[in-house]
Amino acid sequence: MSWYPWLNHGYRQLVEAHQQGRGHHAILLHAHEGTGADAFVYGLSRWLMCQDRQGMKSCGKCHGCHLMLAETHSDWHVLVPEKGKNTIGVDSVRQLSEKLYEYSQQGGAKIVWVPSTESLTDAASNALLKTLEEPPQNTYFLLRCLNPVNVLATLRSRCFYYFLSAPEISVGLYWLRNQFPAISTLDIQTALKLSQGAPLAAKQLLQTEKWQQRNAFCQAIEQALSKCDTLSLLPLLNRDDVQQSLFWLISLLSDAAKWRHHAKNYCVNQDQLVLVHRLALSQSAEALLRTIDDWMHCRHQLLSVVGINRELLLTEQLLNWEKNLGPVSNQ
């Protein structure tokens, strides 16, 4: 598994804690998409599993290291939803707990990695909590979440909270430039901002097909504004990846609101400033904020309401937006 330079600081912090006898048996890793949480946990797990550690590094030569490199270590447990399910049930946790109380098959540490702690049902969370309260010897729990608020409070209280932050912008830019030497710095900066500073998410966005899809969407918005025909955007929005397109749209509208308040230097979509300016001129500052709220509400409904008629909801929202469009004097 690849390692990323911005992970070094956090890795050293947690390894040093273990070396000094302060390491916690359960870590709640708060990490956004694209920051490299999987690589971070894998690196820490390799060090914990290593039978001949070389300071802060795993040796790479012992039996434990060979098994981790081959991803066949019998004491490395990954807890994910069963195939076809979105949640982790209580039975999966109970079965795992039974294994943990047995002897380590390789005679070393046992590790449980939960890539999405939010996937645990309440019953599963409570079952895991019991194991955390009385953990088997030499057993470590690494739990990752996108938002700690969505994790059972009692489960959070039994863990050491660690936030894996995105790297400094300069670090992310340098890394991405090496990945995409043919792409302009402006595009890379924009992708990084659209990804909340997470380099791996920005890398995924910059892949040719995804970036072309965004550019085509921006062009379609400009044409819709020129013709005052927002309904023409419906075919681009009424797709399974509608959440991605709505994120782009809301980001552009938010930039337009910044422009209205003389803060264009803080715009996220720096490669689309012509479009952002056009959006800023299409509505007053107050109307723009209302439009942003409407689209955010629309996005929330699509995420949370089961069986909602997506096409009907999008059509209504596009028509409402069109009604509020009109030439507005620049501010």
Side-chain angles (χ1 to χ4, degrees):
M1 184 175 290
S2 299
W3 185 256
Y4 308 104
W6 59 87
L7 301 177
N8 290 336
H9 177 68
Y11 174 82
R12 289 193 190 101
Q13 281 186 314
L14 295 183
V15 168
E16 279 182 359
H18 281 284
Q19 288 176 327
Q20 297 168 7
R22 298 182 290 104
H24 203 285
H25 72 282
I27 295 175
L28 181 63
L29 184 68
H30 179 191
H32 300 306
E33 294 289 355
T35 52
D38 286 348
F40 184 79
V41 166
Y42 177 76
L44 181 60
S45 297
R46 276 194 58 185
W47 186 84
L48 289 170
M49 290 288 200
C50 182
Q51 297 161 352
D52 187 22
R53 298 166 186 161
Q54 309 295 309
M56 287 196 168
K57 296 181 179 180
S58 50
C59 69
K61 299 177 181 179
C62 69
H63 187 55
C65 283
H66 286 161
L67 291 174
M68 286 296 291
L69 287 167
E71 299 182 4
T72 57
H73 204 300
S74 54
D75 294 319
W76 161 261
H77 306 281
V78 182
L79 190 59
V80 294
E82 295 178 4
K83 189 174 182 180
K85 295 184 178 180
N86 296 320
T87 58
I88 301 171
V90 65
D91 289 339
S92 297
V93 174
R94 286 172 177 165
Q95 290 170 11
L96 176 59
S97 295
E98 289 177 4
K99 292 181 183 178
L100 295 176
Y101 282 103
E102 298 173 357
Y103 287 108
S104 167
Q105 294 191 35
Q106 302 301 327
K110 291 171 284 185
I111 295 177
V112 176
W113 165 225
V114 187
S116 176
T117 307
E118 290 98 335
S119 298
L120 291 164
T121 64
D122 286 348
S125 293
N126 283 315
L128 183 59
L129 176 63
K130 293 178 181 178
T131 308
L132 290 179
E133 288 175 334
E134 298 180 10
Q137 188 176 6
N138 204 18
T139 302
Y140 301 94
F141 300 84
L142 305 173
L143 290 69
R144 185 252 183 139
C145 67
L146 292 174
N147 189 346
V149 173
N150 296 328
V151 177
L152 195 69
T154 48
L155 190 61
R156 293 201 309 266
S157 69
R158 295 296 186 275
C159 298
F160 173 76
Y161 170 84
Y162 189 87
F163 178 58
L164 183 65
S165 61
E168 295 288 336
I169 291 294
S170 59
V171 175
L173 282 174
Y174 179 80
W175 184 79
L176 285 166
R177 282 196 197 102
N178 289 329
Q179 304 297 311
F180 300 101
I183 294 181
S184 71
T185 298
L186 186 61
D187 282 357
I188 291 175
Q189 287 176 331
T190 300
L192 200 54
K193 288 183 177 181
L194 283 168
S195 306
Q196 290 77 52
L200 299 182
K203 180 182 178 181
Q204 186 176 15
L205 176 57
L206 284 166
Q207 301 295 337
T208 304
E209 183 179 349
K210 182 69 72 173
W211 196 246
Q212 287 179 347
Q213 181 185 341
R214 173 183 170 270
N215 289 338
F217 183 63
C218 290
Q219 290 173 9
I221 294 174
E222 191 154 5
Q223 291 173 7
L225 291 174
S226 299
K227 299 176 182 178
C228 201
D229 178 21
T230 58
L231 200 58
S232 63
L233 297 173
L234 183 60
L236 294 177
L237 288 172
N238 188 27
R239 300 164 28 150
D240 290 339
D241 61 353
V242 61
Q243 294 299 332
Q244 177 73 84
S245 298
L246 287 182
F247 173 77
W248 291 336
L249 176 58
I250 293 168
S251 174
L252 288 163
L253 289 168
S254 298
D255 281 350
K258 294 173 190 174
W259 191 296
R260 275 268 155 196
H261 287 90
H262 310 290
K264 69 177 183 180
N265 289 338
Y266 294 94
C267 290
V268 169
N269 299 276
Q270 290 290 330
D271 66 329
Q272 296 289 338
L273 290 183
V274 173
L275 174 56
V276 169
H277 187 207
R278 188 74 176 272
L279 286 166
L281 294 178
S282 70
Q283 294 178 279
S284 67
E286 294 77 11
L288 267 172
L289 293 176
R290 287 196 299 271
T291 299
I292 293 168
D293 284 342
D294 289 344
W295 277 114
M296 290 181 71
H297 180 64
C298 174
R299 190 180 184 209
H300 176 71
Q301 286 182 294
L302 289 171
L303 277 171
S304 59
V305 180
V306 178
I308 194 168
N309 189 320
R310 183 175 67 198
E311 183 175 5
L312 184 62
L313 179 65
L314 290 169
T315 299
E316 181 182 11
Q317 179 56 37
L318 286 166
L319 290 174
N320 286 338
W321 184 23
E322 187 174 301
K323 288 178 185 176
N324 293 314
L325 289 177
V328 180
S329 61
N330 198 3
Q331 294 180 0

